[in-house]
Amino acid sequence: MKKLVATAMAGILAVTMAACGASEESTGETNTSDKVLTMGTSADYFPFEYIDTAKGDEIVGFDVAIAKEVTKNLGYDLKIEDMEFGSLLGALSSGRVDFVMAGMTPTDERKKNADFTDIYFESKNLVMTKDKAITADDELKGKKVGVQLGSIQEALAKDRYKDSEAVSLNKIPEIIQELNTGRIDALIIEDAVAVKYMDQDESLKTYEIKEDGPTGSAVAFKKGDKMRDEFNAELKKMIDNGDIDKLAEEWFQKEAK
Ligand code: ARG
């Protein structure tokens, strides 16, 4: 493409550009193997990241779409490693993954071990119950509240609902399952993720938790990693030019799987 444009232009400038274009292209093609960024995620979070069984168990979603675009713009191939949410920051520190994108909220605690980009998606936490609606925090007293292991929802359950029993599990679908079978009374979940389950089950009820500390999603990098700034600049472009909004529209109106 670059070559075509360049050769269409007259004079030395055109020749120089054509040369540049050609060398850029060939480096792009030959170096892809060592230009790979590995993203760590926890693919239990429709529509942020989930396993598409119709696509041969490919991990897809809003986060994956953003990561694909940013890594492409930075000249890298993207590889994805799926693991438990609670293992992600450890995998980042040990260098097993280059960055973490998992609807992860930047908290002060996490910032001690990772550097985050800007927030690319805002969200709220909800308390979800089944059949019998709980509408206020004090009704959670003595109740079992399900949360994902290592999540901000787990911290919230432990700090804010001290009179409740926090039940920590690895995967969001497992927590929903516990609510369905009545082994827990409520769970804490982000609004964008709750939608899927509410669409499928009218007996689920929610209320919003007010003033609950940091929320939203950002990308995590190893502390001091300069790649954070490069990634953030690309992300910011996508926020400013409306690309993130477009992807959000695409993924958040997808029918739940
Ligand atoms: N935003 C919450 C947090 O950072 C929950 C994220 C859970 N993500 C996931 N892929 N299961 O703790």
Side-chain angles (χ1 to χ4, degrees), residues 15-31:
V15 177
T16 328
M17 282 185 71
C20 281
S23 71
E24 258 173 45
E25 267 165 33
S26 59
T27 2
E29 270 157 33
T30 50
N31 277 356

mmCIF file of all heavy atoms in Angstrom, residues 15-31:
data_model
loop_
_atom_site.group_PDB
_atom_site.id
_atom_site.type_symbol
_atom_site.label_atom_id
_atom_site.label_comp_id
_atom_site.label_asym_id
_atom_site.label_seq_id
_atom_site.Cartn_x
_atom_site.Cartn_y
_atom_site.Cartn_z
ATOM 1 N N VAL A 15 10.917 8.239 -4.391
ATOM 2 C CA VAL A 15 11.844 7.111 -4.358
ATOM 3 C C VAL A 15 12.189 6.772 -2.906
ATOM 4 O O VAL A 15 12.155 5.620 -2.486
ATOM 5 C CB VAL A 15 13.120 7.451 -5.170
ATOM 6 C CG1 VAL A 15 14.124 6.313 -5.074
ATOM 7 C CG2 VAL A 15 12.755 7.757 -6.606
ATOM 8 N N THR A 16 12.490 7.822 -2.134
ATOM 9 C CA THR A 16 12.842 7.595 -0.728
ATOM 10 C C THR A 16 11.701 6.910 0.011
ATOM 11 O O THR A 16 11.909 5.953 0.743
ATOM 12 C CB THR A 16 13.115 8.945 -0.009
ATOM 13 O OG1 THR A 16 13.659 9.840 -0.950
ATOM 14 C CG2 THR A 16 14.021 8.762 1.181
ATOM 15 N N MET A 17 10.515 7.413 -0.209
ATOM 16 C CA MET A 17 9.368 6.836 0.501
ATOM 17 C C MET A 17 9.134 5.391 0.114
ATOM 18 O O MET A 17 8.819 4.559 0.949
ATOM 19 C CB MET A 17 8.107 7.651 0.227
ATOM 20 C CG MET A 17 8.080 8.926 1.038
ATOM 21 S SD MET A 17 6.537 9.793 0.825
ATOM 22 C CE MET A 17 5.428 8.729 1.692
ATOM 23 N N ALA A 18 9.321 5.134 -1.190
ATOM 24 C CA ALA A 18 9.123 3.763 -1.656
ATOM 25 C C ALA A 18 10.106 2.835 -0.962
ATOM 26 O O ALA A 18 9.736 1.752 -0.497
ATOM 27 C CB ALA A 18 9.309 3.688 -3.169
ATOM 28 N N ALA A 19 11.351 3.314 -0.844
ATOM 29 C CA ALA A 19 12.380 2.505 -0.190
ATOM 30 C C ALA A 19 11.997 2.242 1.252
ATOM 31 O O ALA A 19 12.070 1.129 1.751
ATOM 32 C CB ALA A 19 13.721 3.212 -0.283
ATOM 33 N N CYS A 20 11.566 3.305 1.936
ATOM 34 C CA CYS A 20 11.160 3.160 3.343
ATOM 35 C C CYS A 20 10.027 2.152 3.471
ATOM 36 O O CYS A 20 10.069 1.253 4.284
ATOM 37 C CB CYS A 20 10.628 4.484 3.891
ATOM 38 S SG CYS A 20 11.934 5.595 4.336
ATOM 39 N N GLY A 21 9.041 2.352 2.585
ATOM 40 C CA GLY A 21 7.866 1.488 2.639
ATOM 41 C C GLY A 21 8.266 0.035 2.499
ATOM 42 O O GLY A 21 7.835 -0.815 3.275
ATOM 43 N N ALA A 22 9.153 -0.211 1.539
ATOM 44 C CA ALA A 22 9.544 -1.591 1.277
ATOM 45 C C ALA A 22 10.245 -2.196 2.489
ATOM 46 O O ALA A 22 9.929 -3.298 2.910
ATOM 47 C CB ALA A 22 10.459 -1.642 0.061
ATOM 48 N N SER A 23 11.176 -1.413 3.082
ATOM 49 C CA SER A 23 11.926 -1.996 4.191
ATOM 50 C C SER A 23 11.010 -2.200 5.401
ATOM 51 O O SER A 23 11.111 -3.201 6.088
ATOM 52 C CB SER A 23 13.137 -1.122 4.548
ATOM 53 O OG SER A 23 12.692 0.060 5.148
ATOM 54 N N GLU A 24 10.099 -1.268 5.612
ATOM 55 C CA GLU A 24 9.166 -1.433 6.748
ATOM 56 C C GLU A 24 8.349 -2.712 6.591
ATOM 57 O O GLU A 24 8.197 -3.479 7.510
ATOM 58 C CB GLU A 24 8.185 -0.260 6.791
ATOM 59 C CG GLU A 24 8.535 0.769 7.838
ATOM 60 C CD GLU A 24 7.621 1.974 7.717
ATOM 61 O OE1 GLU A 24 6.407 1.756 7.562
ATOM 62 O OE2 GLU A 24 8.127 3.087 7.774
ATOM 63 N N GLU A 25 7.884 -2.892 5.346
ATOM 64 C CA GLU A 25 7.046 -4.066 5.114
ATOM 65 C C GLU A 25 7.795 -5.363 5.375
ATOM 66 O O GLU A 25 7.310 -6.243 6.048
ATOM 67 C CB GLU A 25 6.540 -4.080 3.677
ATOM 68 C CG GLU A 25 5.182 -3.419 3.565
ATOM 69 C CD GLU A 25 4.830 -3.105 2.144
ATOM 70 O OE1 GLU A 25 5.229 -3.857 1.255
ATOM 71 O OE2 GLU A 25 4.160 -2.077 1.930
ATOM 72 N N SER A 26 9.040 -5.397 4.851
ATOM 73 C CA SER A 26 9.744 -6.666 5.006
ATOM 74 C C SER A 26 10.088 -6.924 6.482
ATOM 75 O O SER A 26 9.972 -8.042 6.949
ATOM 76 C CB SER A 26 10.978 -6.727 4.107
ATOM 77 O OG SER A 26 11.828 -5.665 4.436
ATOM 78 N N THR A 27 10.453 -5.867 7.241
ATOM 79 C CA THR A 27 10.734 -6.109 8.661
ATOM 80 C C THR A 27 9.480 -6.610 9.358
ATOM 81 O O THR A 27 9.532 -7.523 10.166
ATOM 82 C CB THR A 27 11.184 -4.829 9.424
ATOM 83 O OG1 THR A 27 11.163 -3.743 8.541
ATOM 84 C CG2 THR A 27 12.492 -5.002 10.107
ATOM 85 N N GLY A 28 8.351 -5.978 8.987
ATOM 86 C CA GLY A 28 7.089 -6.378 9.601
ATOM 87 C C GLY A 28 6.823 -7.860 9.384
ATOM 88 O O GLY A 28 6.366 -8.550 10.289
ATOM 89 N N GLU A 29 7.151 -8.349 8.220
ATOM 90 C CA GLU A 29 6.827 -9.741 7.924
ATOM 91 C C GLU A 29 7.816 -10.737 8.531
ATOM 92 O O GLU A 29 7.430 -11.747 9.072
ATOM 93 C CB GLU A 29 6.795 -9.953 6.412
ATOM 94 C CG GLU A 29 5.405 -9.715 5.850
ATOM 95 C CD GLU A 29 5.433 -9.373 4.389
ATOM 96 O OE1 GLU A 29 6.303 -9.885 3.681
ATOM 97 O OE2 GLU A 29 4.579 -8.574 3.952
ATOM 98 N N THR A 30 9.095 -10.398 8.458
ATOM 99 C CA THR A 30 10.078 -11.392 8.896
ATOM 100 C C THR A 30 10.207 -11.457 10.418
ATOM 101 O O THR A 30 10.561 -12.475 10.963
ATOM 102 C CB THR A 30 11.475 -11.106 8.301
ATOM 103 O OG1 THR A 30 11.752 -9.737 8.545
ATOM 104 C CG2 THR A 30 11.531 -11.415 6.834
ATOM 105 N N ASN A 31 9.899 -10.342 11.088
ATOM 106 C CA ASN A 31 10.166 -10.313 12.527
ATOM 107 C C ASN A 31 8.986 -10.677 13.408
ATOM 108 O O ASN A 31 9.080 -10.573 14.618
ATOM 109 C CB ASN A 31 10.631 -8.901 12.940
ATOM 110 C CG ASN A 31 12.107 -8.732 12.685
ATOM 111 O OD1 ASN A 31 12.749 -9.695 12.283
ATOM 112 N ND2 ASN A 31 12.618 -7.545 12.915
#
